[in-house]
Amino acid sequence: MSLPAGFASDVLWPSDAERAKYTIGWIAPMPVELSPALALLDSVTTLHVVNDSNIYKAGKISNHHVVMVTLDKIGLGGILSVTERMYSSFRELKHLFLVGLGGGMPEFAQGEQMVLGDVVVSLQVEHLDCGRRTPNGFEFTHQTYWPNPDLLKAVNTLRSTHLLNGTRVPQTLQGIRQKLYQNIRNNPEDLGPDADHLFDPGYHHQDDAKLCDNCCDPRRSKSRQERGQKAYRARDSPLIHYGTIGSGNSLVVGSKEREHLYAEFRTICFEMEAAALMNYRCLVIRGISDYSDSHKNKAWQPYAAATAAAYAQELIMQLPAPVHDVNIDRLQTLTINNEGPSTSRNCHWTVYRSRNPLFTGRDDIVRELETIIRNALKDPSYTDQCSVVIYGMGGQGKSEICLQLAYRVRHIFWGVFWVDVSSTSSAKNDFLNIAKKLGIHAETMEEARQGLANVQHSWLLVLDNADDPDVDYQCYFPSGQLGVIIMTSRNSECHRYANTPAVELGGLFESDARELLLHAIDLPREQWRTFQDDAKELATLLQSHPLALMQAGAYISRAHCTIAEYPRIFSRQRKQLLKFRPKQAQSRYGDVYATFEASAGLIQESQAEAAKDALQLLSVLGICAASRLPLQRLFEEGWKGAKAVSSYNSSNKEDGFCHIDTWLVSHLPPLLQADADAWDPFRLVEAVQLLKSLSLVSADTHDDFLSVSMHPLTNAWALDRLVTAAQHKAWLAAGCLATLSNHDDWFLVKLGRQLQPHLWAFLSFRMNDMFASGSPTNISYILTRCGWLLYDMRDLAKLKDLVDNLMLYLNLNPLIADERWLSVYELLAQSLRNYGETPKAVSLLEQIVQIQEQILAKDHKELLASQRMLGSAYLDNKQIEKAVAILEQVVQIWEQILAEDQPERLASQRTLATAYLENKQIEKAVAIREQSVHMEEQTLAVDHLIQLISQHELAKAYQANEQAEKAASLLEQVVQVMEQTLAEDHPERLTSQHNMATCLWDLNHRDAALHMMKHVVEVRRKVLHETHPARTNSEKWLKDFEDEMIETSSAEYSASDSEEF
């Protein structure tokens, strides 16, 4: 590492007070980046700090004391550990700069040109290591960080100055060259335009062992002159660009990746360290030394590093001069400075837990809390007692953060005390122990607490495990402004005890999670790189939960499996793995499940109704998935379904199907209150709030109703904690709720995507376990209703799996309908229709109808529903006359027994209208559909799916009746509403778009028609089997469109040639 000429580098071991004058940190990742930075200091001093392996270079720029450091290795992991040590040693740092080299986006915005030697300043940073693997490659996710607002203000001020007076970078570059030794190999000279080659995007570096000059064809590159006027630069006159910098653990090594990232995130510069520092709100300044492609150019590195350093100096000179902190003198009184490291003034220490050697990450939180505490001690105007609250689910490391913090700040407190408030007895014992240590006579906890409040020295008190939602923890707070209190809790409501911003603890950052796992495995650090991908997958599986990662590491370290094998074993033996306890470095509860069970224990101790409801709800949630569940709407729809059953039973007492629905109602969760006269969510909300208070669920009301979600590990524990009989009971309650809520199609349209993962989780149980929850008839009824839910969601693959498993478990012949299982065969028939096996579906449905006609009355709703389904299958099978005959019979009966606005009657009429269309009875079809639309417009919302389907079908009838303009107008309205309310792959939306395309074609709007039909085919190919009639029909129409377009173009071309001839 080269040093500025003429500067002696003194070596010092500064005290805490001496280090407090440094307010600006400067990180230069490589020596070539540090050299020009050192040349900017008035003098260079080498600093060493006790228990800090960093070697610092320090000096002044203008009135600012600056401390600089370089890295032992580049990348996110290397820079983070160096920065953490820097902030631990220099606690008064106000601003952090990351200054060095980067790869540039050669052309961006409106033709702006970036050349080698230019400078990029971060207005924001995109973390490019975030995302997930997909079949199409790595898909980036959006994770953005911004610099310190004060630094951005300085940047904007300097930009304004540059517009008026230009930049001082050229003069600064001359000064850097004069100060650096003249004999160094890489002097920071501007190499000029002849050395700047931008190679073609598709042309890659030809030989990794050689430089571009010796292996790459310069004819495949553009010079600055060829790139236009915007690429021109006078000597030592780089442009300063401002925008987004992309950061990740690997350099962008191809023009394709570079262009993709710019298109997605507008990144104009790429580097490898900034993402690790964004919790420090640092400003990133990069000199461009290459174009982020395979043609790396080290020749430009010295100059690019110097341009970046020159800009950084100019920006620092814009910052306000630091005001001498009058409280530094007070800070000095907190330490006793000798010739060597400082000694502690701490007199009392009642922290009996040692720090966990595996503790990883969270340094941003610890550092933020340390700053809050130090500021509270230093500020003489601070009259309120400083109280901090850390809350979150069990096992995230709340207590461990307090331990780390206590050890870091113990030297500035006269006393540091720890009280376990998980129970009244433990709190009393700990407070009395504190009183004894302090020589205070106390016989009660209140006397001990008051004794601590009267102490005229600074003290820190940790109130750990304040989890019980029924306890008011204010009674444990000693008064007195000389004290600082930190509370840990699972109860989110405890944030109210804080008078500083409360800290909600979630999972670790991905890089920290990987490090913790590999550390827990006790893997040599030099081998970590080999296992990064496997560690990342495992950390994702465990949602970066610290305790779960430590358990996984302990399990792997004992040679039970490899890192790569753990996810597969976890899927089979989840409970065993999450209850596995490490022998060393144990947490308070030992394993993940134990820490969650401690929260459940607090609920079980209560005799309140809300506690019983919360435990019932927790069991049902364990059956569901961890993702967001519209719980309040689901329970409300379940209650409505129960009331509908009651109403139907009272008027159809002889119906043999009544007893099943009554059985369903009897097994609903009790807190739903199925027998209540009106829907009341009070008990549900109270149960959710209790679970939320212990961090067992998260809750929100973003859609004007209560929804909940769970951490995946909590969700797994909620199921695994149940004994077999309790699991069956919870599964049955969830199934009855799903079945009875399935009476409103619009509910499913609005919330189907949110409900889908929960339905998958419900159906993921083994058939043996599901059928152990009740009689085969009742369980098959629940499962077939769930199958129809899957059909309504158009989850056809999952529906097929369910039907196949049901048929196999019940040992049924798929070709011959069995009277005992007609509902299963109806579902099988629909699945066959989904995959284009219409003849088989027709055969089954004919058998079903024949059996039902023998045992049910002609006007029974089950028979009529099966007949309508058979009519639809006849239409699919092109048996039009049969379809018309059976559907006319169904509609005639419905018209006799139901009012004209009843859904079953209207649905059958719509199907009959479709049959009329196929049978060329167009006027009848139009009349029926106009009547249906008129009726539904009076009773349904504008965006109700049923009304939209009816309007779409009416438009189709208009089209068949050669009323193309009328059809197109109505379809345009339908498609517009559907595009706002339905998912892209919803079948009704696709059907309407398909028919809209045919209408547009008839109206000679052929380009628009072709574009829309291509979209329909593209989506249907993603979601439908290749033999599905809807897919093949759209593909046929698209081919016809394309063929006719080709014929038309050929004819027009021929006609044009003839005219010219």
Side-chain angles (χ1 to χ4, degrees):
M1 181 172 62
S2 49
L3 294 174
F7 288 147
S9 181
D10 298 327
V11 178
L12 298 177
W13 291 77
S15 66
D16 284 355
E18 290 167 336
R19 295 198 301 273
K21 67 184 179 182
Y22 292 98
T23 58
I24 292 178
W26 180 313
I27 299 178
M30 297 189 297
V32 70
E33 297 161 313
L34 182 61
S35 294
L38 295 177
L40 301 173
L41 300 176
D42 61 348
S43 63
V44 179
T45 302
T46 300
L47 303 182
H48 293 278
V49 181
V50 175
N51 296 324
D52 182 349
S53 59
N54 291 349
I55 300 174
Y56 299 101
K57 299 294 182 180
K60 289 183 70 176
I61 294 177
S62 184
N63 293 320
H64 299 274
H65 290 274
V66 182
V67 59
M68 298 180 175
V69 69
T70 191
L71 309 182
D72 55 351
K73 61 177 181 179
I74 61 174
L76 302 184
I79 195 170
L80 184 58
S81 58
V82 167
T83 308
E84 288 174 347
R85 290 193 293 270
M86 174 189 269
Y87 267 81
S88 179
S89 297
F90 297 87
R91 301 182 185 278
E92 300 300 323
L93 292 180
K94 300 293 189 298
H95 304 299
L96 181 64
F97 291 82
L98 174 60
V99 187
L101 303 172
M105 182 71 199
E107 182 173 346
F108 58 96
Q110 284 75 41
E112 292 298 319
Q113 297 290 321
M114 188 181 298
V115 304
L116 301 184
D118 280 356
V119 176
V120 176
V121 182
S122 66
L123 299 182
Q124 64 185 45
V125 173
E126 295 289 348
H127 187 179
L128 301 181
D129 282 335
C130 305
R132 60 188 178 90
R133 291 283 169 193
T134 70
N136 299 320
F138 192 79
E139 181 180 290
F140 291 99
T141 56
H142 197 63
Q143 193 164 352
T144 308
Y145 307 90
W146 290 270
N148 183 319
D150 291 337
L151 291 178
L152 289 179
K153 290 176 186 176
V155 167
N156 288 331
T157 301
L158 186 57
R159 290 177 75 176
S160 302
T161 303
H162 286 171
L163 292 173
L164 289 174
N165 305 318
T167 176
R168 291 190 53 81
V169 167
Q171 296 92 315
T172 306
L173 288 171
Q174 291 297 326
I176 290 174
R177 293 193 191 100
Q178 291 172 8
K179 286 192 174 182
L180 289 177
Y181 288 122
Q182 297 302 311
N183 62 351
I184 65 173
R185 183 175 56 191
N186 295 322
N187 209 30
E189 293 289 344
D190 185 346
L191 301 182
D194 293 338
D196 188 346
H197 300 286
L198 174 60
F199 285 92
D200 296 340
Y203 183 68
H204 301 292
H205 189 67
Q206 300 300 294
D207 188 340
D208 290 339
K210 298 179 181 178
L211 298 176
C212 283
D213 291 345
N214 299 321
C215 66
C216 295
D217 186 353
R219 294 172 298 179
R220 299 295 301 275
S221 69
K222 285 184 179 180
S223 66
R224 289 188 189 176
Q225 184 176 1
E226 292 172 313
R227 292 170 63 185
Q229 182 62 29
K230 289 188 175 182
Y232 170 76
R233 302 287 186 273
R235 175 179 168 79
D236 280 349
S237 298
L239 282 188
I240 314 299
H241 306 277
Y242 301 88
T244 301
I245 291 180
S247 179
N249 245 330
S250 56
L251 288 166
V252 176
V253 291
S255 54
K256 180 179 179 181
E257 292 89 345
R258 177 189 69 201
E259 302 295 332
H260 168 72
L261 290 169
Y262 174 73
E264 187 162 357
F265 302 117
R266 291 296 182 263
T267 43
I268 62 173
C269 175
F270 307 91
E271 53 89 84
M272 296 177 61
E273 289 89 17
L277 301 184
M278 286 304 102
N279 286 323
Y280 296 86
R281 310 297 295 275
C282 78
L283 185 73
V284 186
I285 302 169
R286 293 293 188 175
I288 302 305
S289 60
D290 60 63
Y291 290 116
S292 293
D293 53 19
S294 58
H295 303 277
K296 299 301 174 188
N297 196 337
K298 292 190 175 181
W300 279 92
Q301 288 185 353
Y303 179 69
T307 61
Y311 174 85
Q313 182 204 44
E314 190 174 10
L315 181 63
I316 288 172
M317 295 173 72
Q318 290 286 322
L319 296 172
V323 179
H324 177 65
D325 188 348
V326 296
N327 288 301
I328 287 180
D329 295 334
R330 186 179 175 188
L331 180 63
Q332 283 183 281
T333 67
L334 301 179
T335 57
I336 304 171
N337 296 316
N338 299 319
E339 292 298 315
S342 62
T343 61
S344 173
R345 77 185 199 103
N346 181 256
C347 298
H348 297 284
W349 175 261
T350 64
V351 179
Y352 300 113
R353 290 177 56 184
S354 58
R355 288 174 289 183
N356 192 319
L358 296 180
F359 182 81
T360 304
R362 308 292 199 197
D363 192 72
D364 56 326
I365 296 174
V366 175
R367 189 174 62 254
E368 179 183 354
L369 295 177
E370 183 178 358
T371 300
I372 290 172
I373 290 171
R374 285 177 171 272
N375 289 340
L377 284 183
K378 289 192 300 181
D379 189 350
S381 64
Y382 201 90
T383 57
D384 294 328
Q385 183 184 71
C386 178
S387 56
V388 177
V389 173
I390 307 172
Y391 69 95
M393 67 185 297
Q396 294 281 29
K398 300 181 293 294
S399 300
E400 192 61 39
I401 286 176
C402 289
L403 279 170
Q404 298 289 331
L405 185 60
Y407 276 90
R408 286 176 68 157
V409 300
R410 65 179 296 181
H411 64 283
I412 66 173
F413 284 101
W414 175 80
V416 177
F417 310 106
W418 194 285
V419 175
D420 178 5
V421 295
S422 60
S423 67
T424 303
S425 59
S426 63
K428 178 181 177 180
N429 289 337
D430 287 345
F431 269 113
L432 291 176
N433 182 51
I434 292 171
K436 183 178 180 180
K437 292 281 186 182
L438 300 181
I440 298 170
H441 175 72
E443 296 182 357
T444 66
M445 183 179 68
E446 174 60 27
E447 291 175 347
R449 184 177 67 87
Q450 190 58 45
L452 179 58
N454 293 332
V455 169
Q456 295 302 303
H457 301 282
S458 61
W459 48 263
L460 172 67
L461 173 64
V462 177
L463 300 177
D464 196 21
N465 303 312
D467 302 327
D468 194 333
D470 294 329
V471 173
D472 181 1
Y473 290 99
Q474 193 66 49
C475 66
Y476 296 123
F477 279 58
S479 59
Q481 67 187 70
L482 291 178
V484 174
I485 297 176
I486 306 176
M487 171 187 284
T488 72
S489 179
R490 302 174 188 216
N491 185 352
S492 60
E493 293 299 311
C494 281
H495 76 272
R496 303 177 189 278
Y497 294 111
N499 59 12
T500 62
V503 177
E504 181 178 8
L505 210 57
L508 293 169
F509 290 126
E510 182 192 286
S511 57
D512 293 334
R514 292 199 308 263
E515 182 177 342
L516 173 59
L517 174 66
L518 296 171
H519 196 181
I521 296 171
D522 199 22
L523 194 69
R525 188 172 286 270
E526 59 269 18
Q527 298 181 25
W528 283 18
R529 184 179 294 274
T530 306
F531 297 98
Q532 285 294 316
D533 290 341
D534 291 339
K536 180 179 179 180
E537 181 183 355
L538 204 164
T540 301
L541 172 69
L542 299 177
Q543 296 289 298
S544 298
H545 188 280
L547 181 53
L549 289 167
M550 288 192 288
Q551 287 179 240
Y555 189 85
I556 295 167
S557 70
R558 298 187 68 181
H560 290 295
C561 66
T562 65
I563 305 177
E565 292 169 343
Y566 190 93
R568 176 175 53 82
I569 297 174
F570 184 88
S571 66
R572 299 197 321 263
Q573 303 173 25
R574 179 180 67 197
K575 185 175 181 178
Q576 174 185 320
L577 295 186
L578 292 178
K579 291 178 74 68
F580 182 83
R581 298 192 173 194
K583 299 297 183 184
Q584 306 297 327
Q586 288 196 13
S587 74
R588 179 187 185 213
Y589 293 101
D591 63 70
V592 171
Y593 275 13
T595 190
F596 297 155
E597 199 60 46
S599 296
L602 292 172
I603 302 176
Q604 288 168 334
E605 290 173 4
S606 173
Q607 298 300 313
E609 180 181 63
K612 297 176 182 177
D613 289 343
L615 291 173
Q616 292 171 6
L617 181 59
L618 184 65
S619 299
V620 173
L621 293 176
I623 302 297
C624 302
S627 58
R628 189 169 183 262
L629 174 66
L631 192 67
Q632 186 173 338
R633 283 296 307 272
L634 181 63
F635 269 62
E636 182 177 358
E637 293 301 318
W639 177 85
K640 290 178 181 178
K643 301 310 289 183
V645 168
S646 177
S647 176
Y648 183 83
N649 288 352
S650 64
S651 58
N652 297 271
K653 295 181 180 179
E654 302 302 322
D655 193 332
F657 289 87
C658 291
H659 74 278
I660 294 181
D661 287 336
T662 303
W663 177 84
L664 292 173
V665 172
S666 69
H667 286 83
L668 285 169
L671 70 114
L672 184 140
Q673 303 173 86
D675 57 348
D677 294 332
W679 163 244
D680 182 1
F682 177 81
R683 285 178 60 179
L684 176 65
V685 172
E686 287 295 295
V688 169
Q689 292 301 329
L690 180 53
L691 294 175
K692 180 186 176 185
S693 72
L694 292 166
S695 298
L696 294 177
V697 303
S698 299
D700 68 77
T701 54
H702 295 331
D703 301 309
D704 296 327
F705 53 82
L706 183 65
S707 295
V708 300
S709 58
M710 302 180 78
H711 190 284
L713 296 180
T714 315
N715 178 247
W717 159 80
L719 175 63
D720 292 343
R721 71 185 297 265
L722 302 175
V723 298
T724 302
Q727 279 195 12
H728 292 163
K729 183 178 179 181
W731 184 90
L732 189 56
C736 293
L737 183 60
T739 302
L740 288 168
S741 64
N742 182 16
H743 66 93
D744 185 349
D745 293 335
W746 196 225
F747 169 66
L748 292 174
V749 171
K750 289 286 190 181
L751 300 172
R753 291 302 172 97
Q754 289 187 46
L755 293 171
Q756 194 171 35
H758 303 285
L759 189 57
W760 291 348
F762 175 77
L763 295 173
S764 66
F765 286 72
R766 297 181 306 171
M767 280 287 165
N768 285 337
D769 291 330
M770 290 191 281
F771 276 89
S773 303
S775 70
T777 302
N778 293 344
I779 299 304
S780 66
Y781 182 75
I782 290 176
L783 293 177
T784 53
R785 292 293 292 270
C786 289
W788 288 110
L789 279 172
L790 291 172
Y791 175 72
D792 290 336
M793 296 172 182
R794 294 310 189 261
D795 196 344
L796 304 184
K798 281 285 193 301
L799 171 58
K800 186 177 186 303
D801 289 343
L802 173 62
V803 172
D804 291 346
N805 290 333
L806 264 174
M807 297 294 291
L808 183 63
Y809 179 82
L810 296 173
N811 195 27
L812 301 179
N813 185 334
L815 300 178
I816 302 174
D818 187 321
E819 180 180 337
R820 295 170 300 167
W821 309 107
L822 294 184
S823 62
V824 177
Y825 279 96
E826 280 192 331
L827 195 62
L828 172 60
Q830 183 59 59
S831 182
L832 291 170
R833 291 176 65 191
N834 296 339
Y835 285 87
E837 298 184 67
T838 310
K840 291 182 180 178
V842 167
S843 175
L844 280 178
L845 288 168
E846 285 178 335
Q847 295 177 54
I848 292 168
V849 168
Q850 184 178 2
I851 293 171
Q852 288 178 332
E853 286 175 342
Q854 296 174 10
I855 60 175
L856 299 177
K858 289 183 178 181
D859 60 355
H860 195 285
K861 67 172 186 176
E862 297 292 337
L863 173 59
L864 293 172
S866 298
Q867 290 171 330
R868 179 194 166 208
M869 190 175 176
L870 175 58
S872 295
Y874 280 148
L875 288 175
D876 291 344
N877 209 37
K878 304 304 179 186
Q879 295 172 269
I880 309 302
E881 292 183 1
K882 282 190 173 184
V884 169
I886 195 169
L887 289 169
E888 283 182 335
Q889 175 185 329
V890 170
V891 168
Q892 183 179 5
I893 295 174
W894 279 131
E895 289 176 346
Q896 292 173 3
I897 63 175
L898 290 181
E900 60 182 3
D901 62 348
Q902 290 301 298
E904 294 91 343
R905 174 174 169 175
L906 290 170
S908 298
Q909 289 172 332
R910 287 197 302 271
T911 310
L912 175 59
T914 302
Y916 281 151
L917 276 182
E918 295 292 331
N919 205 36
K920 308 303 181 185
Q921 296 172 270
I922 297 173
E923 291 183 359
K924 281 188 174 183
V926 170
I928 290 177
R929 288 184 172 174
E930 284 181 334
Q931 177 186 351
S932 297
V933 168
H934 175 71
M935 186 62 59
E936 286 157 357
E937 285 177 345
Q938 297 178 35
T939 58
L940 300 178
V942 174
D943 61 350
H944 197 288
L945 180 61
I946 298 300
Q947 181 173 178
L948 293 171
I949 292 173
S950 295
Q951 291 171 337
H952 157 246
E953 290 174 343
L954 175 57
K956 190 174 180 182
Y958 284 149
Q959 188 177 8
N961 206 32
E962 299 182 354
Q963 296 172 275
E965 291 186 4
K966 204 170 183 180
S969 175
L970 186 54
L971 273 175
E972 184 178 11
Q973 171 187 330
V974 171
V975 168
Q976 185 177 5
V977 176
M978 284 187 171
E979 287 177 347
Q980 294 173 357
T981 58
L982 300 182
E984 181 185 53
D985 60 355
H986 194 284
E988 299 300 343
R989 172 173 168 176
L990 291 170
T991 301
S992 295
Q993 289 172 326
H994 172 104
N995 290 331
M996 181 71 184
T998 63
C999 268
L1000 291 170
W1001 188 267
D1002 291 342
L1003 293 170
N1004 212 29
H1005 302 312
R1006 299 200 165 185
D1007 288 338
L1010 184 63
H1011 177 76
M1012 185 167 286
M1013 192 62 77
K1014 281 183 176 179
H1015 170 75
V1016 172
V1017 169
E1018 179 184 347
V1019 177
R1020 280 184 163 164
R1021 282 175 174 169
K1022 292 178 183 177
V1023 298
L1024 297 180
H1025 189 267
E1026 61 183 7
T1027 62
H1028 193 284
R1031 172 176 167 176
T1032 57
N1033 185 41
S1034 294
E1035 289 173 335
K1036 179 180 180 300
W1037 274 91
L1038 177 59
K1039 186 176 187 308
D1040 290 345
F1041 283 1
E1042 291 173 335
D1043 290 346
E1044 193 167 337
M1045 291 280 275
I1046 293 171
E1047 290 174 7
T1048 302
S1049 298
S1050 299
E1052 290 174 352
Y1053 181 77
S1054 299
S1056 175
D1057 277 358
S1058 299
E1059 289 174 6
E1060 291 179 9
F1061 180 78

